[in-house]
Amino acid sequence: MSTSSAPLLAGLWMTGALISFSVMAVGGREVVGNLDTFELMFLRSCIGLVLVLGFGLLMGRLAEVRTARLPLHLIRNVFHFSAQNLWFYAVAYIPLAQLFAIEFTTPIWIALLAPLLLGETLTRWRIIAAVLGFAGILVIAQPGAAELNVGHLTAALSTLGFAGSIMMTKALSRTETTWTILFWLTFTQVFYGAIFVFWDGTITLPEGQDILWVGLVGLCGLTAHICLTTALTYAPASVVAPMDFARLPLIAMVGWVFYGELVTIAVVMGALLILAANTLNLRAEQARARQMEAAE
């Protein structure tokens, strides 16, 4: 593969990821209210598990599934399950552009938490990135100047859950294949979802258009991760990360067209602060990696 074609292929895969994330947000907005978030997550995970098993069978990949690190898979997916439930809850309460902007602080929390959980160094640039990212959240949410609701809190908490999930995924990826991680992700979340859905002995099933939306949420939840992971195989994170930020203007357009959500100056300024924080952190990590390679 030529050097020039790899970023193009990464961009095509990222386009798939951007569309998948946006459809998943709209689908969540459409069904939350008729279904609670646990029911949505349970049904989404059932669809994802069927797809993973089906494609795994066709591609002969099911033999890759291992149980050697099952405890870490279980803990990792508790974080992901909790974060995704909080995210779907926030979808119904705050504008989509605000939700996606807050979600982009996840890499900043990873930079802060990695020294505690992965033994990495807390650098000056990580601290600066965290401060800028937190400032971006304050600009977007405008506490005291604009009306806040539980959606802002659950969106912020979801980023911590996603950060924990990503860090454990990083640890798992040293020995586990992507297929193993996807299998245990969908399998355990079916189990976790069933616990919360059936604790009272009842479940609300989707009807009418909700069936289509739940199906799309289940499909896009899987394709988003596959597209993003594949994009990273064609280009480094320094190329893929800015592409991922294109989710924000795309979802802002979706929110405006379908829900009449206006993009405020506060959201734009806050998003730019968060983008600056992620860019600083990414470049600092790249420089640090080059120094370590040179030292070796």
Side-chain angles (χ1 to χ4, degrees):
M1 182 182 303
S2 69
T3 304
S4 60
S5 66
L8 177 60
L9 288 172
L12 291 174
W13 281 103
M14 277 307 298
T15 300
L18 300 180
I19 293 171
S20 296
F21 281 124
S22 299
V23 172
M24 191 166 62
V26 172
R29 170 73 65 85
E30 292 296 321
V31 302
V32 170
N34 298 330
L35 305 177
D36 64 37
T37 60
F38 293 122
E39 290 166 338
L40 177 57
M41 278 295 295
F42 172 68
L43 294 171
R44 169 201 160 167
S45 300
C46 287
I47 294 169
L49 181 59
V50 169
L51 291 172
V52 167
L53 289 174
F55 283 113
L57 205 58
L58 288 173
M59 300 168 63
R61 303 289 295 274
L62 292 183
E64 295 179 14
V65 178
R66 296 154 39 95
T67 59
R69 305 189 71 182
L70 184 56
L72 186 55
H73 281 288
L74 295 176
I75 297 171
R76 181 257 182 194
N77 293 328
V78 166
F79 275 81
H80 191 274
F81 180 80
S82 302
Q84 196 68 74
N85 270 283
L86 291 165
W87 190 87
F88 276 126
Y89 189 87
V91 158
Y93 287 94
I94 62 175
L96 297 177
Q98 284 192 10
L99 173 62
F100 274 48
I102 293 172
E103 185 186 353
F104 277 113
T105 60
T106 297
I108 300 166
W109 300 127
I110 292 174
L112 281 180
L113 294 173
L116 298 176
L117 301 180
L118 298 178
E120 297 181 2
T121 305
L122 181 61
T123 64
R124 176 184 61 183
W125 287 111
R126 286 183 173 183
I127 295 173
I128 293 172
V131 171
L132 278 176
F134 185 67
I137 291 180
L138 292 179
V139 170
I140 291 168
Q142 300 180 72
E147 182 180 352
L148 300 181
N149 60 54
V150 69
H152 294 94
L153 176 61
T154 53
L157 289 175
S158 75
T159 64
L160 293 174
F162 285 131
S165 171
I166 291 170
M167 283 187 287
M168 281 179 270
T169 302
K170 180 179 178 180
L172 285 168
S173 64
R174 294 168 184 160
T175 59
E176 308 287 90
T177 65
T178 300
W179 207 260
T180 299
I181 293 171
L182 280 175
F183 172 80
W184 287 118
L185 169 66
T186 53
F187 181 84
T188 56
Q189 291 193 149
V190 168
F191 177 72
Y192 297 151
I195 292 174
F196 288 97
V197 166
F198 292 109
W199 73 273
D200 59 355
T202 63
I203 180 174
T204 302
L205 294 176
E207 299 178 351
Q209 289 187 347
D210 285 351
I211 297 174
L212 173 62
W213 286 118
V214 170
L216 285 172
V217 167
L219 175 63
C220 291
L222 194 62
T223 57
H225 291 289
I226 292 173
C227 288
L228 182 57
T229 302
T230 306
L232 287 166
T233 66
Y234 287 110
S238 58
V239 175
V240 172
M243 294 180 189
D244 190 36
F245 208 81
R247 269 198 281 162
L248 188 54
L250 177 60
I251 201 63
M253 180 67 69
V254 169
W256 175 59
V257 171
F258 289 99
Y259 302 108
E261 297 175 355
L262 298 179
V263 180
T264 65
I265 294 297
V267 171
V268 174
M269 296 303 297
L272 289 174
L273 280 173
I274 294 170
L275 175 61
N278 281 320
T279 302
L280 283 174
N281 185 53
L282 182 61
R283 290 190 174 182
E285 292 302 314
Q286 288 178 317
R288 182 165 166 264
R290 286 195 295 268
Q291 289 175 355
M292 292 177 65
E293 288 177 2
E296 293 175 356

